[in-house]
Amino acid sequence: MKGPREEILYLPCIYRNTGIEKPDYLATVDVDPRSPHYCQVIHRLPMPNLKDELHHSGWNACSSCFGDATKRRNHLILPSLISSRIYVVDVGTDMRAPRIHKIVEPVELFWKGNVANPHTSHCLGSGEIVISCLGDPSGNGKGGFILLDGETFEVKGNWEKGEKVPSMGYDFWYQPRHNVLMSTEWGTPKVFAGGFDPADLEKGHYGRHINVWDWNSHTYIQSIDLGKNSVPLEIRFLHNPDASEGFVGCALSGAVHRFYKTEKGDWAAEKVIEVPSKKVKGWLLPDMPGLITDILISLDDRFLYFSNWLHGDIRQYDITNTRKPKLVGQVFLGGSITKGGPVTVVEDQELQCQPEPFVIKGKKVPGGPQMIQLSLDGKRLYVTSSLYSGWDKQFYPDLIKEGSVMLQIDVDTERGGLKVNKNFLVDFGKEPDGPVLAHEIRYPGGDSTSDIWV
């Protein structure tokens, strides 16, 4: 937390589903207020293929390896959600101008692991890299993992052992002191790839479980049911490596569950936050969920943040008491229920009226807040507005036409509280090849969603 202030950020930028036939790229953005290039994209690294759908990223090494002086956080791992390629990007040679170091082709994942649709990558204390996957090569759901060598980036095979594998995958976090890895479930890749159809919920194509793995034996040992169509996405343990608890955000149920180790030694979950759906007219369904899509915990384990992509707000909770999170900050940054839009709210358990459209530097921002990343000192929260190109196109067509944005929110770390920095806007609608969808945010030195201490 006492590390230097972030000066540049990396974001994958996606052209799939936008109608622009260009490859996705990794953008480097200058966020140093003293710089003449503040809030500007200073470098773009295009991938050599079309329609990859870059999504999340991770590091080749993390704090867990730092007892070894030879380890450096010098390669960014960029899995492609749809093409199943994995790009290894060299950010160590020139931090401000990354370059491609290696490409792991999809066939490597298919042959060596019988998995596809890679999502979250975490480095291990061993120096290896483990990446969660959402499906098998045919597009069916499968919650397996692929293991990469930390030096050569060759595919070594599956991380998991044994016959039992969950029917779906998505995000994961591990905690070696409690001999556990926890993974979540989004949905069946061939179903969600084209967009969201409510009928697929009834067919069981979306997830509902936290899946529990034995860390040492790499075997699947337990599933925790969070309820039908809850769709648990991002999962975070507390950062304290002794902690045996954390939080998971559920997109469709609008709930945040605290998961914890029981006295018996197995794992359980309890709902600690619920964002009520709003009754609406002029939308896909009569009830609009908040759609909790990203969550994170500050490095001191004091605050929990999450975004409601559809309702349009970001929330900050004090989690000093993890069983009773307390809402201390909230800010609206667009969303589907703003005044003057096609959606009318007919019943709302939280708001007295529909929020105003969000305008910054004269620009009315399309979409809603989605990916979030916190500065190491906890004082700045960065946010982007794209979820996944297929769903962006469906729920926020203006986002496809205008491109996404990156914003910055100032955080009160004493009492809690969020306030938009009105001087900060990175408008990805003005990119050289046309509007683009910028997604997850990473700092060169690691951040509060990538490091796991052992």
Side-chain angles (χ1 to χ4, degrees), residues 179-193:
N179 189 36
V180 71
L181 180 148
M182 301 277 204
S183 62
T184 58
E185 304 179 335
W186 179 7
T188 306
K190 64 185 176 187
V191 169
F192 70 68

Side-chain angles (χ1 to χ4, degrees), residues 112-412:
K112 294 182 180 176
N114 192 32
V115 290
N117 311 101
H119 187 269
T120 301
S121 53
H122 277 301
C123 40
L124 306 181
S126 63
E128 295 166 312
I129 297 146
V130 66
I131 305 175
S132 59
C133 296
L134 278 70
D136 68 12
S138 303
N140 303 305
K142 181 183 180 183
F145 300 84
I146 204 79
L147 198 61
L148 299 188
D149 183 281
E151 299 292 329
T152 65
F153 304 104
E154 295 289 326
V155 174
K156 297 177 79 170
N158 297 98
W159 174 83
E160 70 274 13
K161 294 176 180 154
E163 296 299 308
K164 280 178 69 181
V165 179
S167 60
M168 293 179 201
Y170 185 68
D171 191 29
F172 75 100
W173 199 274
Y174 62 87
Q175 200 69 304
R177 293 189 190 182
H178 295 283
N179 189 36
V180 71
L181 180 148
M182 301 277 204
S183 62
T184 58
E185 304 179 335
W186 179 7
T188 306
K190 64 185 176 187
V191 169
F192 70 68
F196 175 70
D197 181 349
D200 291 325
L201 292 170
E202 290 310 309
K203 295 174 187 170
H205 285 305
Y206 285 92
R208 59 187 291 173
H209 301 101
I210 300 173
N211 295 304
V212 184
W213 302 77
D214 183 286
W215 178 246
N216 290 325
S217 68
H218 302 194
T219 53
Y220 174 42
I221 55 171
Q222 186 191 346
S223 81
I224 304 169
D225 191 345
L226 301 181
K228 187 178 179 184
N229 299 330
S230 49
V231 193
L233 295 181
E234 307 295 332
I235 188 163
R236 312 278 184 237
F237 264 97
L238 296 182
H239 294 288
N240 175 358
D242 284 327
S244 57
E245 61 180 332
F247 297 91
V248 61
C250 297
L252 280 190
S253 64
V256 174
H257 293 260
R258 168 185 170 261
F259 60 87
Y260 58 96
K261 194 176 192 176
T262 71
E263 288 183 5
K264 284 193 311 190
D266 63 353
W267 295 81
E270 60 179 352
K271 181 162 56 177
V272 290
I273 300 169
E274 184 164 22
V275 176
S277 292
K278 300 180 191 298
K279 294 209 174 298
V280 294
K281 284 182 183 168
W283 194 66
L284 176 71
L285 297 165
D287 292 289
M288 182 191 286
L291 214 78
I292 297 173
T293 46
D294 196 16
I295 71 168
L296 65 77
I297 298 171
S298 60
L299 284 174
D300 59 4
D301 289 337
R302 183 166 166 215
F303 294 113
L304 169 76
Y305 299 86
F306 65 80
S307 54
N308 284 308
W309 190 58
L310 290 176
H311 289 178
D313 59 318
I314 287 182
R315 301 186 183 205
Q316 176 193 25
Y317 285 82
D318 185 321
I319 52 167
T320 309
N321 179 348
T322 53
R323 299 196 68 181
K324 293 190 175 166
K326 191 169 80 176
L327 181 64
V328 290
Q330 184 177 27
V331 64
F332 279 84
L333 304 169
S336 291
I337 57 163
T338 52
K339 278 183 188 166
V343 176
T344 304
V345 178
V346 292
E347 191 181 311
D348 194 326
Q349 294 179 41
E350 293 188 317
L351 302 178
Q352 299 300 313
C353 61
Q354 293 181 226
E356 297 290 337
F358 179 70
V359 178
I360 184 166
K361 294 198 164 188
K363 179 185 172 71
K364 181 182 169 186
V365 172
Q370 211 281 285
M371 294 308 296
I372 50 178
Q373 190 57 266
L374 191 64
S375 60
L376 298 180
D377 62 9
K379 292 179 179 175
R380 291 167 300 286
L381 189 71
Y382 294 91
V383 54
T384 56
S385 50
S386 163
L387 169 60
Y388 156 69
S389 69
W391 288 22
D392 292 353
K393 186 177 180 179
Q394 180 177 0
F395 290 103
Y396 289 119
D398 287 350
L399 198 54
I400 298 290
K401 292 187 218 139
E402 295 182 42
S404 65
V405 297
M406 180 164 66
L407 307 167
Q408 187 228 300
I409 296 162
D410 292 323
V411 179
D412 183 334

